[in-house]
């Protein structure tokens, strides 16, 4: 073939027209367009169904003008091992074979210095042949660029591998559906399948959840969207657990392996070598992710040696069945898309290995938890620099922990499940991981006590009490820790006894029962000294500080927090140090030293940057917000309080949310937005009242009155009562949205649906009169004489005042009344 004839043939191209709208991936297309300007061979790599071919065609269309020799698509979809690529390319370009000369050489001569783009699609069918052909082409033809798609890299010299990511998912709930690529694709294809389809408030959550369950995989999303012609989104979402059966009808014109989700994944699995199949199915026991060490510990044996795991795992990464997408604690984290993991789990079940692999996985989680526990409590103690990587690892392994707990429970082994939970006691409490720990502890502790060793049962009961108290449920905390204390005393378990008594002391403090609190604290200290437990001693010293603080004993409180801080420094524990610093900040606040209080909060916050300790972080942010509010820095106050509320939402704790909303109500009052302040105050009180057993903190009613009094003066009692009712009628979700979006009104005005009632904290005129007499130091009898009422009536009024204001003593009432600017 002459150069002239080749020159005539090599023009234009054969890019197919796109069958429907190309959705999303704008940033990907832009990046790849730039990459093709500098790289000779670019391979789009990814799992089957991730959208490699469609992306390749879109990118090629974007750059077509840069290639006067044309853009040419070579499809290897139906290729079988042994096929060659050169004949396909030659036929496409009109290059004919020459006698006694390799076709590749003729093709290279024909291409010469022509500037063209060659797209080779589905190279995994002929991976080695593709690598050789691309290598020969770019070596001899300087104007040729090659864009390939494959489930694994070619590993050819000069190749740039570009991993095709899933489509982006909603990050902020249903409110950002429009910016999610996965959702946009689903909506576009669903609308095409069913003309009546529309996104509504009713199906928005299901659409978001469905796209997330399908990993943002375009093929799976398109198959699901096609079902909208016969099912609602709610029905599709409800059935997605059986995704391979559900998504079984696709485009008849597509290659067979792309017509159903199962066919796509099954084809990839069948191409694997036996060791790769073994490892892939065994890796299905991991939920969320794993490290190389975890894979070696859990998956080795019976046909797969531990020393071979790395090599085989690398093969699975190359074939896009396993993703290496993050680094944790200095190690690479691996994971599978959920669709791949579910398929692998099916294969694990078929293999008959599942029970043994689940047991190994559970035991390895216990081993990791044990190492973390020992690092925290052992002597000599490691530095925080040594502990921190293990805690970061634990954050990444939460899904694996709960999977191990679930399997043990379902396998009838509650003891092992509770051992795992107990070993993770401190990360659970410090990290605010109260859910689903509470549900699992309830389920596992419901078994016959005889099935559990006394130590495990006692530790688990104490942990349940700590979780309950952290959730604002003192009744449950008191019940389970009373049982735990009785068990510990009967069996001589001083370690768990100290923990149980500490929780009981917390409950007594918040019940405002000082004698019981002091008794429990003394007994708890005695118990921890018997077992030399500095961690629990530090906790109890902090509790003593809180106890003294609640009674206004600032000097005693400071001594206790300083003792706790000294132990925390000795332990070099960045969970514990901030707790003591927060206590010292609160003491400084009580003394009126806001500068010192802020310094303590900021020190504590600095120590929390690299670890999960949500509740301590929330407390620091709230404290800094309240200090800024008191200093008149309303912008800083808003930023800190909003950040605190957002973080609090992630913990799922209603009491914490109520506290943050109350603080934002105080901010609204300072901003002279009285209507907003009253609504938020009502919403905060409603969230608290909806919590069975929640304890109102000391002075809660008094704080509400301080907030409401200025609003009454400016708006009048009737309007304040109506606004309070508006706040009371908000759901927690509505209240949070209203608190976060300061420029918006609440979702709905419930006025007229329920009777308007004044806030329960409101003191009547008579109660104000009696409160002022209490402030003057009058006894009940003296008050009765002053007002010409019976002593019993006076006593009843004083009791009502104490209850409404949330105080436990007449002194607190007197102090509060004196501080009010009341005409």
């Amino acid at each position: 073939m002459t150069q002239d004839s080749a020159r005539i043939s090599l023009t234009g191209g054969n890019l197919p027209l796109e069958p429907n709208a190309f959705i999303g991936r704008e940033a990907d297309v832009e990046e790849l367009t730039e990459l093709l300007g500098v790289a000779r061979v670019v391979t789009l790599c990814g799992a089957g169904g991730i959208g490699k071919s469609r992306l390749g065609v879109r990118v090629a269309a974007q750059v077509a003008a840069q290639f006067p020799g044309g853009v040419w698509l070579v499809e290897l979809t139906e290729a079988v091992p042994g096929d060659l690529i050169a004949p396909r390319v030659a036929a496409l370009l009109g290059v004919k074979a020459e006698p006694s000369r390799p076709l590749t050489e003729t093709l290279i001569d024909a291409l010469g210095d022509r500037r063209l783009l060659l797209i080779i699609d589905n190279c995994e069918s002929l991976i080695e042949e593709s690598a050789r052909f691309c290598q020969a082409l770019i070596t001899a033809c300087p104007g040729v660029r090659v864009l390939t798609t494959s489930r694994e890299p070619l590993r050819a010299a000069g190749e740039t591998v570009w991993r095709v990511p899933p489509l982006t998912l909603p990050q902020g709930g249903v409110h950002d559906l429009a910016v999610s690529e996965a959702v946009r694709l689903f909506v576009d294809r669903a609308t095409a399948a069913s003309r009546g389809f529309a996104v509504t408030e009713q199906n928005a959550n299901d659409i978001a959840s469905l796209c997330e369950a399908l990993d943002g995989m375009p093929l799976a999303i398109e198959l699901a969207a096609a079902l909208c012609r016969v099912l609602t989104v709610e029905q599709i979402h409800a059935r997605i657990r059986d995704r391979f059966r559900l998504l079984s009808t696709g485009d008849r014109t597509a290659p067979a392996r792309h017509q159903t989700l199962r066919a796509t994944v099954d084809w990839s699995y069948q191409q694997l070598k036996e060791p790769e199949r073994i490892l892939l199915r065994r890796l299905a026991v991991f939920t969320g992710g794993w490290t190389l060490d975890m894979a070696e510990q859990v998956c080795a044996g019976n046909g797969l040696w531990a020393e071979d795991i790395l090599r085989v795992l690398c093969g699975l990464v190359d074939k896009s069945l396993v993703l290496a997408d993050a680094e944790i604690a200095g190690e690479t984290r691996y994971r599978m898309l959920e669709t791949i993991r579910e398929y692998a789990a099916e294969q694990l079940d078929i293999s008959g290995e599942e029970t043994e692999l689940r047991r190994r996985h559970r035991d390895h989680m216990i081993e990791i938890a044990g190492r973390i526990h020992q690092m925290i409590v052992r002597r000599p103690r490691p530095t925080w620099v040594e502990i921190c990587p293990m805690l970061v690892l634990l954050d990444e392994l939460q899904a694996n922990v709960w999977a191990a707990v679930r399997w043990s429970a379902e396998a009838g082994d509650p003891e092992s499940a509770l051992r795992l939970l107990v070993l993770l006691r401190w990360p659970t409490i410090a990290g605010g991981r109260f859910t689903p720990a509470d549900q699992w502890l309830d389920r596992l502790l419901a078994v016959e006590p005889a099935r559990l060793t006394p130590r495990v049962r006692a530790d688990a009961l104490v942990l349940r009490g700590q979780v309950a108290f952290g959730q604002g449920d003192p009744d449950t905390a008191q019940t389970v820790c009373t049982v735990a204390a009785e068990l510990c005393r009967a069996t001589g378990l001083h370690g768990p006894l100290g923990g149980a008594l500490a929780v009981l002391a917390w409950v007594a403090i918040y019940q405002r029962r000082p004698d019981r609190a002091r008794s429990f604290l003394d007994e708890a200290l005695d118990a921890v000294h018997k077992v030399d437990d500095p961690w629990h001693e530090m906790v109890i010293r902090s509790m003593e500080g809180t106890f003294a603080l609640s009674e206004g004993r600032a000097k005693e409180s400071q001594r206790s927090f300083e003792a706790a801080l000294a132990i925390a420094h000795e332990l070099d524990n960045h969970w514990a140090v901030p707790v003591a610093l927060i206590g010292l900040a609160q003491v400084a606040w009580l003394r009126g030293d806001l500068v010192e209080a802020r310094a303590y909060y900021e020190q504590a916050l600095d120590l929390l940057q690299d670890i999960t300790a949500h509740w301590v972080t929330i407390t620091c942010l709230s404290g800094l917000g309240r200090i800024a509010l008191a200093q008149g820095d309303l912008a800083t106050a808003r930023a800190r309080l909003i950040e605190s509320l957002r973080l609090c939402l992630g913990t799922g704790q209603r009491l914490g949310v109520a506290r943050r909303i109350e603080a934002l109500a105080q901010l609204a009052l300072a901003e002279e937005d009285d209507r907003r302040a009253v609504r938020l105050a009502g919403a905060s009180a409603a969230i608290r009242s909806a919590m069975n057993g929640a304890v109102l903190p000391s002075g809660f009613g008094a704080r509400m009155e301080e907030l409401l009094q200025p609003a009454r003066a400016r708006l009048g009692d009737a309007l304040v009562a109506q606004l309070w009712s508006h706040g009371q009628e908000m759901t927690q979700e509505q209240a949070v949205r209203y608190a976060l979006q300061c420029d918006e009104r609440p979702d709905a005005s419930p006025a007229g649906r329920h009777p308007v009632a004044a806030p329960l904290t409101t003191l009547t005129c008579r109660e104000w009169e009696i409160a002022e007499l209490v402030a003057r130091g009058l006894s009940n009898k003296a008050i009765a004489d002053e007002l010409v009422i019976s002593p019993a009536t006076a006593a009843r009024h004083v009791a009502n005042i104490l209850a409404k204001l949330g105080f436990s003593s007449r002194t607190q009432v007197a102090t509060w009344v004196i501080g009010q600017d009341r005409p």
Side-chain angles (χ1 to χ4, degrees), residues 171-173 175 614-615 617-618 621-622 638-653 656-661 664 676 732 736-743:
Q171 297 298 314
H175 304 297
H614 292 318
W615 277 110
T617 303
I618 289 166
L621 291 169
S622 295
R638 173 164 295 282
R640 292 295 196 179
L641 293 175
I642 289 291
E643 186 180 359
S644 174
L645 176 57
R646 290 189 187 280
L647 185 57
C648 195
L649 281 174
T651 69
Q653 305 308 307
V657 170
R659 288 170 175 165
R660 267 77 253 176
I661 291 177
L664 285 165
R676 179 180 181 78
Q732 179 173 307
V736 168
R737 190 157 59 245
Y738 182 51
L740 293 176
Q741 299 171 348
C742 59
D743 57 338

Side-chain angles (χ1 to χ4, degrees), residues 324-346:
D325 65 350
E327 179 181 312
I328 51 172
E331 298 185 60
T332 299
R333 184 194 74 171
Y334 302 92
R335 67 180 180 92
M336 285 188 275
L337 296 177
E338 188 60 23
T339 296
I340 305 297
R341 197 187 76 82
E342 286 196 16
Y343 180 89
E346 286 185 7

Side-chain angles (χ1 to χ4, degrees), residues 607-765:
L607 292 171
L608 298 168
Q609 298 303 313
D610 299 323
I611 56 175
T612 300
H614 292 318
W615 277 110
V616 184
T617 303
I618 289 166
T619 302
C620 288
L621 291 169
S622 295
L624 289 169
R626 290 187 297 110
I627 289 171
L629 178 58
Q631 293 176 326
D633 184 355
L634 303 188
T636 298
R638 173 164 295 282
R640 292 295 196 179
L641 293 175
I642 289 291
E643 186 180 359
S644 174
L645 176 57
R646 290 189 187 280
L647 185 57
C648 195
L649 281 174
T651 69
Q653 305 308 307
R654 291 177 296 170
L655 182 57
V657 170
R659 288 170 175 165
R660 267 77 253 176
I661 291 177
E662 180 191 335
L664 285 165
Q666 293 168 335
L667 173 63
L669 187 70
E671 293 171 332
E672 298 185 357
D673 189 345
D674 296 328
R675 294 169 179 263
R676 179 180 181 78
V678 176
R679 283 193 184 105
L680 287 174
S684 172
I687 294 171
R688 288 180 183 272
S689 65
M691 298 175 58
N692 293 330
V695 176
L696 291 177
S698 177
F700 173 73
R703 291 201 308 276
M704 287 291 102
E705 279 302 289
E706 289 170 7
L707 193 153
L708 295 170
Q709 282 178 36
R712 287 195 191 97
R714 290 189 283 262
L715 301 177
D717 289 347
L719 182 53
V720 165
Q722 185 180 51
L723 293 167
W724 177 270
S725 293
H726 288 182
Q728 290 269 298
E729 287 297 315
M730 287 186 199
T731 65
Q732 179 173 307
E733 182 180 356
Q734 289 172 330
V736 168
R737 190 157 59 245
Y738 182 51
L740 293 176
Q741 299 171 348
C742 59
D743 57 338
E744 295 189 10
R745 295 180 179 273
D747 289 351
S749 174
R753 290 190 299 172
H754 296 276
V756 173
L760 295 177
T761 60
T762 303
L763 298 183
T764 65
C765 292

Side-chain angles (χ1 to χ4, degrees), residues 344-387:
E346 286 185 7
Q347 300 305 312
L348 181 62
D349 179 52
I350 293 170
S351 73
E353 296 180 316
E354 183 172 11
T355 298
E356 173 61 18
L357 264 293
R358 295 286 179 192
R359 183 191 61 76
R360 284 194 216 167
H361 174 264
R362 189 272 317 279
D363 289 348
H364 190 58
M365 290 301 106
I366 290 176
E367 180 186 339
I368 291 175
R371 292 206 307 265
I372 293 173
H373 179 75
Q374 285 301 312
M375 290 192 79
I376 292 172
V377 303
R378 71 175 170 86
R379 288 182 173 177
R381 289 174 181 79
T383 65
W384 189 253
V385 173
E386 296 172 277
I387 295 174

Side-chain angles (χ1 to χ4, degrees), residues 563-630:
L565 183 62
I567 299 173
H569 279 311
E570 180 188 350
L571 296 176
D572 190 23
N573 192 299
H574 289 202
W575 281 332
V577 172
V579 173
L581 289 171
I582 288 170
L584 291 171
Q586 292 168 340
V587 172
W589 176 282
L590 182 65
R591 295 200 314 264
D593 190 341
L594 300 186
V595 174
E596 183 176 307
R598 183 177 63 194
Y600 280 130
Y601 278 127
E602 288 174 343
Q603 287 179 50
L605 201 57
D606 286 344
L607 292 171
L608 298 168
Q609 298 303 313
D610 299 323
I611 56 175
T612 300
H614 292 318
W615 277 110
V616 184
T617 303
I618 289 166
T619 302
C620 288
L621 291 169
S622 295
L624 289 169
R626 290 187 297 110
I627 289 171
L629 178 58

